[in-house]
Amino acid sequence: MAHKIAVIPGDGIGPEIVAEACKVLDAAAAKFGFELEYTKLLMGGASIDVNGVPLTDETIAQAKASEAVLMGSIGGDANTSSWYKLEPQLRPEAGLLKIRKALNLFANLRPAYLYEELKAACPLRDEIIGEGFDMMIMRELTGGLYFGARETSIENGIRKAVDTLVYNEEEIRRIAVKGFEIARKRRGKVCSVDKANVLDSSRLWRAVVEEVAKDYPDVELSHMLVDNCAMQLVRDPAQFDVILTENMFGDILSDEASMVTGSIGMLSSASLNETKFGLYEPSHGSAPDIAEKGIANPIATILSAAMMLRYSLDLDEAANAIEAAVRQVLKEGYRTGDIMSEGCTRVGTVQMGDLIAARV
Ligand code: IPM
Ligand code: MG
């Protein structure tokens, strides 16, 4: 029976990179003997243009009825796009937050990995890079500042805005459990990142993570304050295996971690709930400036599709084959513009997809 996959191409470069990911998935399906059935869904600006809102309830229902969601990227240029003249809750990003919450995707996995072949793109000095690094940012995705009460008001003629950072112990426990489980399959280290020297929510975070750690004596737990972590990521990124952190810190640190790999166009992500269901998307944005030029790097989306096969469909062999095909293409010297270096062959989005699909 065919696996039902919801596909959200989205905005900007989204449709181009998703098309290449589907191409590679189809190659894997043909080789490993499984079937995928795609249902295209609208979200973000693409949905605003058609439905007036960034995400409809019907779309949520269709996403829920699938085994996994593969997404491109959403959003446009905030300075020029008419989407950003709308109320905040009607803008493209609101659709993304809404689907995360509606599907209960509390665990966001963002691997940041330095490809041997792409060392030249890493902005860090050679002695810092050393043997390279390979970390997994586990970001809590449905709580904290993103989903607490917010309000803008005027008090005595003075404008005021409030955002609330709330976590309960259950929200912390479930992401911590995921963090330790993933660490077990990696190098067995969790670094929990918080701001426990200032915030109550961080003190609770730390206490609950300590409790969960008791069930994982084989995993080494450390704690780090978020400001220090931001610094350590560029001082010695190899020290990290799994970084476990709350929503806002994870948003910021994952951008930083992706930059130190030198190639944000390479980084995939998975957002999971308590079941096998997940939403898979590249870690980068919709890059409206290069949309429809055929030059975007589709690899992050292709690698997200591989994560989808592994985590939601249990098709590990096919996932491994896609990852190996990506490496092979890099080894052969093919590069999109964002990761181009001397002596390599520059290719466009479609050609990169073709090359990878052919090597699956
Ligand atoms: C991300 C993005 C989103 C976030 C935005 C687009 C709302 O930056 O996925 O990291 O802040 O979560
Ligand atoms: Mg972000």
Side-chain angles (χ1 to χ4, degrees):
M1 217 178 62
H3 294 285
K4 289 174 80 168
I5 309 298
V7 177
I8 302 177
D11 311 319
I13 59 173
E16 300 161 61
I17 54 182
V18 160
E20 298 317 306
C22 290
K23 183 191 285 173
V24 172
L25 281 172
D26 289 339
K31 168 141 189 208
F32 294 95
F34 58 89
E35 259 178 80
L36 300 173
E37 182 190 308
Y38 306 111
T39 307
K40 275 214 175 121
L41 302 180
L42 294 178
M43 196 170 97
S47 173
I48 295 173
D49 289 346
V50 176
N51 304 311
V53 291
L55 179 68
T56 64
D57 290 340
E58 201 203 322
T59 303
I60 293 176
Q62 285 176 295
K64 276 188 180 160
S66 60
E67 282 173 70
V69 182
L70 179 67
M71 199 189 114
S73 50
I74 54 117
D77 183 334
N79 294 316
T80 57
S81 164
S82 61
W83 299 329
Y84 296 90
K85 297 201 175 77
L86 300 166
E87 293 287 303
Q89 71 276 11
L90 290 176
R91 293 178 195 166
E93 288 73 11
L96 183 58
L97 298 188
K98 190 172 169 188
I99 203 168
R100 287 175 180 170
K101 195 70 172 178
L103 303 177
N104 196 26
L105 304 170
F106 64 87
N108 182 217
L109 281 61
R110 298 189 165 183
Y113 178 81
L114 184 71
Y115 280 81
E116 182 66 36
E117 295 80 10
L118 299 181
K119 264 191 177 163
C122 176
L124 301 176
R125 286 199 313 269
D126 281 349
E127 66 260 38
I128 296 177
I129 298 175
E131 303 277 281
F133 47 87
D134 172 7
M135 65 190 117
M136 177 71 88
I137 310 236
M138 291 279 305
R139 168 188 176 193
E140 200 292 325
L141 203 60
T142 52
L145 277 170
Y146 278 64
F147 294 96
R150 60 176 110 257
E151 189 186 48
T152 304
S153 59
I154 301 184
E155 240 177 62
N156 303 325
I158 296 175
R159 285 178 299 161
K160 176 179 151 186
V162 185
D163 297 285
T164 13
L165 202 181
V166 191
Y167 273 108
N168 69 41
E169 59 179 311
E170 275 159 20
E171 291 171 306
I172 301 169
R173 192 168 293 116
R174 64 184 184 178
I175 183 79
V177 166
K178 284 251 187 210
F180 282 95
E181 290 289 337
I182 297 231
R184 241 181 203 169
K185 294 192 187 144
R186 294 174 46 96
R187 300 193 304 280
K189 284 190 351 182
V190 169
C191 178
S192 173
V193 173
D194 60 39
K195 190 69 185 171
N197 54 348
V198 178
L199 302 176
D200 267 28
S201 55
S202 280
R203 286 188 270 269
L204 179 63
W205 180 278
R206 202 175 270 219
V208 174
V209 171
E210 291 276 355
E211 287 162 23
V212 173
K214 296 203 177 95
D215 294 332
Y216 298 87
D218 50 319
V219 176
E220 179 193 322
L221 170 68
S222 60
H223 300 280
M224 195 178 274
L225 296 172
V226 62
D227 47 350
N228 185 27
C229 182
M231 189 261 276
Q232 296 295 336
L233 275 171
V234 289
R235 198 191 71 88
D236 177 21
Q239 71 184 286
F240 297 109
D241 179 14
V242 173
I243 292 181
L244 173 66
T245 193
E246 65 93 46
N247 204 345
M248 181 73 152
F249 298 159
D251 179 44
I252 299 168
L253 294 175
S254 62
D255 263 30
E256 188 188 357
S258 70
M259 187 59 222
V260 302
T261 70
S263 47
I264 187 164
M266 301 288 301
L267 301 178
S268 54
S269 86
S271 304
L272 309 173
N273 63 20
E274 247 131 18
T275 69
K276 288 232 151 259
F277 185 89
L279 181 147
Y280 301 83
E281 58 172 318
S283 284
H284 59 69
S286 58
D289 52 320
I290 61 162
E292 287 168 38
K293 293 192 177 145
I295 57 173
N297 184 352
I299 294 181
T301 317
I302 291 168
L303 292 172
S304 302
M307 282 180 107
M308 177 180 88
L309 297 181
R310 178 174 296 121
Y311 291 115
S312 284
L313 307 183
D314 285 322
L315 294 164
D316 288 61
E317 221 188 340
N320 293 339
I322 292 177
E323 288 164 357
V326 167
R327 267 167 199 283
Q328 181 59 31
V329 165
L330 293 176
K331 226 174 248 150
E332 290 172 35
Y334 295 105
R335 303 281 189 275
T336 43
D338 56 311
I339 50 173
M340 184 62 192
S341 60
E342 236 187 271
C344 292
T345 312
R346 186 188 290 256
V347 297
T349 312
V350 172
Q351 204 184 346
M352 185 55 101
D354 288 340
L355 287 163
I356 296 168
R359 285 157 183 74
V360 165

XYZ file of all heavy atoms in Angstrom, residues 74 93 96-97 100 110 139 141 146 247 251 254-255 281 283, ligand 1:
143
model
N 8.275 28.611 3.800
C 7.193 29.586 3.658
C 7.690 30.994 3.987
O 8.703 31.172 4.643
C 5.976 29.225 4.541
C 6.418 29.043 5.985
C 5.247 27.995 4.066
C 5.790 30.022 6.862
N 4.146 33.130 8.387
C 4.758 32.420 9.517
C 3.724 31.903 10.512
O 3.944 30.893 11.190
C 5.740 33.330 10.268
C 7.038 33.614 9.535
C 6.874 34.562 8.349
O 5.801 35.175 8.200
O 7.836 34.678 7.549
N 2.845 28.398 9.873
C 3.843 27.436 10.339
C 3.666 27.161 11.839
O 3.665 26.009 12.284
C 5.245 27.999 10.049
C 6.432 27.124 10.396
C 6.354 25.788 9.674
C 7.733 27.835 10.038
N 3.484 28.224 12.621
C 3.303 28.045 14.062
C 2.023 27.266 14.342
O 1.974 26.409 15.211
C 3.273 29.401 14.779
C 4.540 30.253 14.673
C 4.441 31.467 15.584
C 5.793 29.458 15.005
N 2.482 23.523 13.579
C 3.298 22.885 14.623
C 2.440 22.549 15.836
O 2.518 21.464 16.398
C 4.436 23.818 15.047
C 5.549 23.935 14.022
C 6.583 24.979 14.445
N 7.653 25.095 13.455
C 8.577 26.054 13.456
N 8.560 26.995 14.399
N 9.506 26.088 12.528
N 17.314 19.322 14.644
C 18.060 20.056 13.622
C 19.524 19.626 13.638
O 20.321 20.138 14.428
C 17.939 21.565 13.859
C 16.501 22.025 13.753
C 16.356 23.542 13.754
N 15.017 23.887 13.307
C 14.567 25.117 13.134
N 15.347 26.139 13.359
N 13.335 25.326 12.717
N 15.200 21.050 19.657
C 14.523 22.275 20.066
C 13.075 21.973 20.433
O 12.352 21.364 19.634
C 14.590 23.270 18.900
C 13.708 24.478 19.046
C 13.690 25.304 17.751
N 12.759 26.414 17.862
C 12.340 27.161 16.845
N 12.791 26.910 15.613
N 11.492 28.141 17.027
N 9.320 22.788 20.480
C 8.749 23.556 19.375
C 7.308 24.036 19.583
O 6.781 24.760 18.755
C 8.822 22.697 18.097
C 8.799 23.427 16.755
C 9.953 24.393 16.614
C 8.805 22.434 15.588
N 6.930 31.365 22.149
C 6.181 31.334 20.893
C 4.687 31.154 21.107
O 3.892 31.536 20.260
C 6.690 30.195 20.004
C 7.929 30.520 19.218
C 9.128 30.784 19.864
C 7.892 30.554 17.835
C 10.268 31.070 19.144
C 9.028 30.841 17.105
C 10.217 31.097 17.763
O 11.333 31.383 17.044
N 12.256 26.489 23.102
C 11.880 26.962 21.775
C 12.713 28.146 21.262
O 13.367 28.061 20.215
C 10.384 27.317 21.805
C 9.742 27.266 20.432
O 10.417 27.237 19.413
N 8.415 27.257 20.400
N 15.723 28.219 18.505
C 15.599 28.972 17.253
C 16.916 29.691 16.959
O 17.461 29.610 15.857
C 14.450 29.987 17.385
C 14.285 30.832 16.127
O 14.343 30.253 15.025
O 14.108 32.056 16.250
N 20.104 27.232 16.668
C 20.155 26.380 15.473
C 20.586 27.181 14.248
O 21.260 26.647 13.369
C 18.826 25.656 15.238
O 17.760 26.548 15.017
N 20.233 28.446 14.185
C 20.759 29.270 13.085
C 22.279 29.407 13.213
O 23.011 29.316 12.233
C 20.138 30.679 13.088
C 18.959 30.798 12.124
O 18.277 29.778 11.909
O 18.739 31.905 11.591
N 11.352 19.467 6.948
C 11.598 20.675 6.156
C 13.071 21.046 6.253
O 13.741 20.700 7.222
C 10.733 21.841 6.671
C 10.980 22.152 8.129
C 10.291 23.406 8.638
O 10.286 24.424 7.925
O 9.785 23.375 9.768
N 16.229 23.423 7.082
C 16.400 24.400 8.166
C 16.449 25.830 7.645
O 16.351 26.774 8.409
C 17.693 24.104 8.945
O 17.504 22.997 9.783
C 12.464 28.493 12.250
C 11.953 29.829 11.800
C 10.573 30.045 12.409
C 10.732 30.004 13.914
C 9.875 31.345 11.962
C 9.751 31.401 10.446
C 8.552 31.544 12.621
O 12.837 30.830 12.155
O 11.821 27.467 11.932
O 13.501 28.457 12.904
O 11.102 31.016 14.533
O 10.505 28.947 14.500
